[in-house]
């Protein structure tokens, strides 16, 4: 009995000691949590009232540094740009600016080119950094990304330079030709020859100005303001009529099909210009006695049915390196051939903008020496298609159906189903 009593007493004493130790540890833990630390001194309570809210709505990337250069507050945009890493400001020039501002209280601003994080191509990230004191101990850093603004400015400079060059060529030619006409006033044949050249240059200048106007319009206007159901067969007929003379001169056969009962929703003028540019390019870059095909079909897509309009030629084709740039303004695959055909280098840029403004896209398939296929994919006018029951008038005139002598023909369906790389036989 004495042994059992001793054991019980020892157990009770051990339990009491364990409880005391646990209570002391709990009290010590609470004291440590309440004790201000270096980190807690520089979090939200340190920021002046309202600053946190203001920084959260700024478009610029924001970073707040304390007197030890530790990051007190940083916006998500600052992390996305790679300005803050591991709780520290990772850009040394900005860090030095913050230290100088903390020392003398002056506001500083500088533009920097930073390496883009996560890319191995050395692309620069253009930013504007502004540092200002925030209270007595903090420094505020605001960083604005200027990369896109610089890119747009470069595009504008290139555009102005290209326009100046394109306008200078026909204007200079007209000036020289007018002098030649004056000098050959007593030679009727020379005058007629020079006048013909002047007419060609004047036409090229007129086309360039008109395409500049069209490009400006499709970039600035909202096509859906004047949107309406547009019949595909009418657009195709208009595009064929636009190129009838050029096709006839080169004995190029134009075939259209699959366009019945299909309608688009959009600006008729812009859609006609886009399709007309594609057909005109196909004719201009195709050899004599070949074919240009225009076909349309309805395809099912998650967001609603789309209309695909494919323009296929048997021309010179486009190389892989050129396919990446053909939709740029003033870019030409063959500048010499463009001058011969009167091309301005703006046609495909207009097509791209029209497709994008109508929530669609334009794609290209091409093989050098075999030809090219440009495909427009645009949303279908579903409601208009439901109403189109009795209104099924032909989109092409009688000459197109029966055959004509100007090098164009129309068939009901040149191919039952088409894909981008298909070339008409």
């Amino acid at each position: 009995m004495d042994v059992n009593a001793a054991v019980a007493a020892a157990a009770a004493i051990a339990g009491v000691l364990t409880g005391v130790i646990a209570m002391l540890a709990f009290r010590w833990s609470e004291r440590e949590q309440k004790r201000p630390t270096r980190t807690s001194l520089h979090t939200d309570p340190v920021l002046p009232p309202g600053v946190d809210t203001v920084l959260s709505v700024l478009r610029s990337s924001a970073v707040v540094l304390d007197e030890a250069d530790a990051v007190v507050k940083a916006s998500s945009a600052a992390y996305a740009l790679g300005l803050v890493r591991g709780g520290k400001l990772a850009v040394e020039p900005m860090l030095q600016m913050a230290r100088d501002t903390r020392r003398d209280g002056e506001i500083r601003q500088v533009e920097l080119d930073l390496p883009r994080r996560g890319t191995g191509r050395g692309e620069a990230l253009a930013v504007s950094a502004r540092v200002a004191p925030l209270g007595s101990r903090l420094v505020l850093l605001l960083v604005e990304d200027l990369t896109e603004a610089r890119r747009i400015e470069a595009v504008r400079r290139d555009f102005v330079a290209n326009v100046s060059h394109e306008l200078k060529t026909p204007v200079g030619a007209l000036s020289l030709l007018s002098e030649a006409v004056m000098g050959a006033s007593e030679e009727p044949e020379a005058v007629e020859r020079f006048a013909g050249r002047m007419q060609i240059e004047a036409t090229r200048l007129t086309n360039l100005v008109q395409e500049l106007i069209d490009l400006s319009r499709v970039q600035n206007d909202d096509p859906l303001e004047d949107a309406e159901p547009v019949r595909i067969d009418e657009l195709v007929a208009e595009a064929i009529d636009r190129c009838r003379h050029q096709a006839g001169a080169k004995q190029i056969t134009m075939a259209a099909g699959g366009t019945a009962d299909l309608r688009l929703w959009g600006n008729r003028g812009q859609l006609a210009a886009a399709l007309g540019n594609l057909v005109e390019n196909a004719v201009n870059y195709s050899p004599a006695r070949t074919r240009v095909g225009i076909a349309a079909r309805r395809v099912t897509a998650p967001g609603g049915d789309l209309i695909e309009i494919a323009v296929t030629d048997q021309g010179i084709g486009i190389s892989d390196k050129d396919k990446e740039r053909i939709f740029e303004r003033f870019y030409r695959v063959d500048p010499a051939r463009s001058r011969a055909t009167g091309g301005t280098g703006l046609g495909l840029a207009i097509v791209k903008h029209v497709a994008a403004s109508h929530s669609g896209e334009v794609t290209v398939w091409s093989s050098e020496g075999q030809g090219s296929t440009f495909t427009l994919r645009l949303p279908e006018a579903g409601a208009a298609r439901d109403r189109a029951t009795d209104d099924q008038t032909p989109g092409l005139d009688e000459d197109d159906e029966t055959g004509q002598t100007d090098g164009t023909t129309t068939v009901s369906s040149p191919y039952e189903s088409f894909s981008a790389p298909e070339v008409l036989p």
Side-chain angles (χ1 to χ4, degrees):
M1 293 296 292
D2 294 338
V3 175
N4 293 335
V7 171
I13 294 172
V16 172
L17 291 176
T18 302
V20 172
I21 292 173
M23 183 180 65
L24 292 175
F26 178 74
R27 292 288 180 85
W28 179 83
S29 177
E30 281 190 331
R31 189 182 301 113
E32 288 297 318
Q33 290 180 0
K34 293 180 179 179
R35 179 183 299 173
T37 62
R38 180 180 179 86
T39 303
S40 64
L41 284 173
H42 304 294
T43 53
D44 292 343
V46 177
L47 292 176
V51 172
D52 195 2
T53 302
V54 173
L55 295 182
S56 65
V57 298
L58 287 177
R59 296 182 60 183
S60 304
S61 303
V63 180
V64 178
L65 303 176
D66 65 6
E67 66 274 12
D69 293 334
V71 176
V72 176
K73 181 73 177 179
S75 64
S76 58
Y79 286 98
L81 289 178
L83 303 179
V84 178
R85 299 177 191 172
K88 294 289 185 179
L89 186 62
V91 183
E92 184 61 31
M94 296 181 186
L95 188 59
Q96 186 59 46
M97 287 174 57
R99 292 168 180 169
D100 295 339
T101 297
R102 187 185 302 111
R103 184 182 64 253
D104 55 26
E106 293 186 4
I107 298 175
R108 288 174 169 81
Q109 183 170 353
V110 67
E111 292 188 3
L112 301 171
D113 291 333
L114 307 178
R116 194 183 295 269
R117 188 175 64 172
T119 63
R121 295 176 294 177
E123 297 179 350
L125 188 68
V127 298
S128 174
R130 185 179 179 87
V131 181
L134 185 64
S136 60
R137 294 182 301 171
L138 303 181
V139 173
L140 173 63
L141 172 66
L142 295 178
V143 180
E144 184 177 359
D145 188 356
L146 303 178
T147 307
E148 184 64 15
R150 285 192 180 181
R151 187 193 68 82
I152 293 175
E153 183 62 27
V155 169
R156 288 176 178 172
R157 287 197 304 268
D158 292 342
F159 182 72
V160 171
N162 287 327
V163 169
S164 301
H165 174 74
E166 295 293 336
L167 289 174
K168 183 178 179 181
T169 301
V171 170
L174 287 172
S175 177
L176 292 175
L177 288 169
S178 63
E179 293 179 3
V181 169
M182 293 177 62
S185 56
E186 298 180 358
E187 302 178 22
E189 294 183 358
V191 170
E192 184 178 358
R193 184 172 69 255
F194 293 144
R197 289 295 307 169
M198 291 177 66
Q199 193 172 33
I200 293 174
E201 295 298 334
T203 301
R204 179 177 298 173
L205 182 60
T206 301
N207 292 339
L208 175 59
V209 172
Q210 183 59 51
E211 291 203 345
L212 286 172
I213 294 173
D214 293 341
L215 181 60
S216 176
R217 182 178 295 117
V218 300
Q219 286 181 314
N220 297 326
D221 292 351
D222 182 5
L224 300 183
E225 288 184 357
D226 301 320
E228 60 179 325
V230 182
R231 292 172 58 106
I232 302 297
D233 51 5
E234 293 177 357
L235 293 179
V236 172
E238 187 173 335
I240 290 177
D241 288 339
R242 171 176 168 176
C243 305
R244 192 183 304 276
H245 176 72
Q246 298 96 309
K250 299 173 67 175
Q251 299 181 22
I252 292 176
T253 300
M254 291 192 289
T259 61
D261 304 331
L262 298 180
R263 299 192 181 197
L264 297 172
W265 182 259
N267 184 291
R268 176 183 174 81
Q270 292 188 14
L271 293 172
L275 183 58
N277 286 344
L278 291 180
V279 176
E280 186 174 17
N281 278 357
V283 172
N284 287 337
Y285 288 91
S286 292
R289 294 178 294 279
T290 56
R291 285 193 175 188
V292 171
I294 311 166
R297 68 173 181 177
R298 180 185 300 115
V299 295
T300 303
D305 289 349
L306 298 177
I307 299 297
E308 286 189 351
I309 308 175
V311 179
T312 304
D313 63 61
Q314 296 172 302
I316 59 176
I318 306 170
S319 66
D320 291 338
K321 66 179 182 66
D322 288 322
K323 278 190 287 189
E324 299 177 358
R325 301 191 59 190
I326 56 174
F327 294 103
E328 296 178 9
R329 305 169 189 172
F330 295 109
Y331 185 79
R332 297 181 177 92
V333 175
D334 187 351
R337 189 180 184 93
S338 295
R339 286 193 296 269
T341 60
T344 62
L346 291 174
L348 291 180
I350 293 175
V351 174
K352 178 182 177 181
H353 282 287
V354 171
S357 64
H358 284 76
S359 302
E361 64 175 352
V362 57
T363 59
V364 59
W365 173 94
S366 185
S367 179
E368 292 186 90
Q370 297 186 27
S372 306
T373 296
F374 287 83
T375 303
L376 273 172
R377 293 185 180 90
L378 301 167
E380 182 182 18
R385 186 188 66 192
D386 295 337
R387 294 193 299 267
T389 53
D390 298 328
D391 185 20
Q392 301 295 336
T393 56
L396 304 178
D397 55 27
E398 295 181 358
D399 290 340
D400 291 328
E401 294 178 353
T402 57
Q404 63 279 67
T405 59
D406 60 1
T408 63
T409 59
T410 302
V411 296
S412 59
S413 178
Y415 32 89
E416 294 181 359
S417 62
F418 71 90
S419 60
E422 183 167 354
V423 178
L424 291 175

